[in-house]
Amino acid sequence: MSGELIRNLPFSADAEQSVLGAVLIKPEIMDSFAGIISAEDFYMPEHVEIYRAMQGMYLKSRMIDLVTLIDELVKAGVYDESGGKEYIRLIVPSAANALDYAKIVRDKSILRSLITACDEISEAAYGEQDDVENLVELAEKKIYSVAEGHENKNFIHIKDALLLSYERLNKLKTNPEEVKGMPTGFSDLDKVLVGLGSADLVLVGARPGMGKTSFALNIATNVAVRSG
């Protein structure tokens, strides 16, 4: 083994445990985590299962504490009761710097994805089983998918989608200006839509001759004026 470089995949056990500990002491922080990490971003298998259990409990509005979490993990077959207690008690509940720790977990996950992508690119290149142009395109796609954060960028787990929705609803309640979109110029409509968001698809529907085109043109004019 002399001369052979031994490398470990990047991860931070401390950061992962700190994220889980933050949820134990402040379950509502799951809303903030939704836009940063998912269960699959954790490296240690037990942390994946613990975070996934926490997500399920939070979405069901269940209390998340040491007792309820262990009970959920035992039901899921992740731990027996004694093993669950032994490990969960190693997680120190603290909400301090929780978002920073979540970003560390996310960054380590991206690095692992990058390593995997590079290994696949290298294997394809060494194999010489395809045209160079196709291999270059394959490499570009794999690196781009890592930059986007995940392979199947058009699909996310329903739990993560719901948490993202909760996060947006919470922002609408606590700081509506932060998520307020472009005003349409029609105040009653803006109250319903909270303005036009950058990714919104708004359909205007009515019977023929009801003024759909004029209405849409008025909105376009108002948006153009506000945009300068």
Side-chain angles (χ1 to χ4, degrees):
M1 192 166 293
S2 60
E4 182 178 344
L5 180 62
I6 301 176
R7 294 175 176 172
N8 295 318
L9 287 175
F11 79 100
S12 172
D14 290 340
E16 292 188 5
Q17 286 189 340
S18 296
V19 168
L20 300 176
V23 178
L24 279 175
I25 196 172
K26 189 180 179 182
E28 61 271 20
I29 204 170
M30 291 288 288
D31 288 342
S32 299
F33 286 161
I36 303 176
I37 57 173
S38 65
E40 287 68 30
D41 288 320
F42 290 85
Y43 176 74
M44 300 179 68
E46 54 265 50
H47 293 168
V48 174
E49 296 298 336
I50 292 171
Y51 191 77
R52 189 172 286 146
M54 287 174 164
Q55 280 185 317
M57 295 170 69
Y58 185 72
L59 292 174
K60 294 176 183 177
S61 299
R62 291 181 55 193
M63 176 69 70
I64 302 176
D65 57 26
L66 182 65
V67 175
T68 58
L69 178 59
I70 291 173
D71 180 67
E72 186 70 16
L73 292 169
V74 170
K75 288 180 180 177
V78 178
Y79 284 116
D80 57 32
E81 189 167 352
S82 59
K85 286 181 179 178
E86 183 178 351
Y87 187 79
I88 300 298
R89 282 173 177 162
L90 296 176
I91 298 175
V92 180
S94 172
N97 304 317
L99 295 183
D100 290 332
Y101 293 132
K103 290 174 183 176
I104 292 174
V105 173
R106 177 202 60 193
D107 290 347
K108 298 295 185 183
S109 175
I110 293 174
L111 288 176
R112 294 195 300 273
S113 297
L114 187 59
I115 291 170
T116 299
C118 289
D119 286 344
E120 292 173 353
I121 293 168
S122 295
E123 185 176 347
Y126 277 118
E128 300 185 65
Q129 299 296 313
D130 207 341
D131 294 336
V132 171
E133 291 80 5
N134 292 336
L135 290 175
V136 171
E137 184 178 354
L138 172 69
E140 289 176 344
K141 286 181 178 178
K142 287 190 174 296
I143 298 300
Y144 180 73
S145 70
V146 173
E148 288 295 299
H150 44 78
E151 289 287 339
N152 299 315
K153 64 180 183 179
N154 292 322
F155 300 94
I156 62 174
H157 196 282
I158 184 63
K159 291 182 180 179
D160 297 317
L162 287 173
L163 286 172
L164 285 170
S165 297
Y166 284 170
E167 181 186 19
R168 177 174 170 79
L169 290 172
N170 184 56
K171 286 182 178 178
L172 284 172
K173 180 180 179 181
T174 59
N175 188 11
E177 293 299 322
E178 183 180 347
V179 291
K180 190 174 182 181
M182 176 69 71
T184 64
F186 296 89
S187 57
D188 289 342
L189 180 61
D190 287 333
K191 289 178 182 177
V192 176
L193 299 179
V194 198
L196 300 173
S198 58
D200 287 350
L201 172 63
V202 180
L203 302 179
V204 180
R207 297 192 303 274
M210 299 299 292
K212 296 188 298 294
T213 301
S214 297
F215 174 66
L217 287 173
N218 282 329
I219 292 178
T221 301
N222 293 332
V223 169
V225 170
R226 291 178 178 273
S227 300

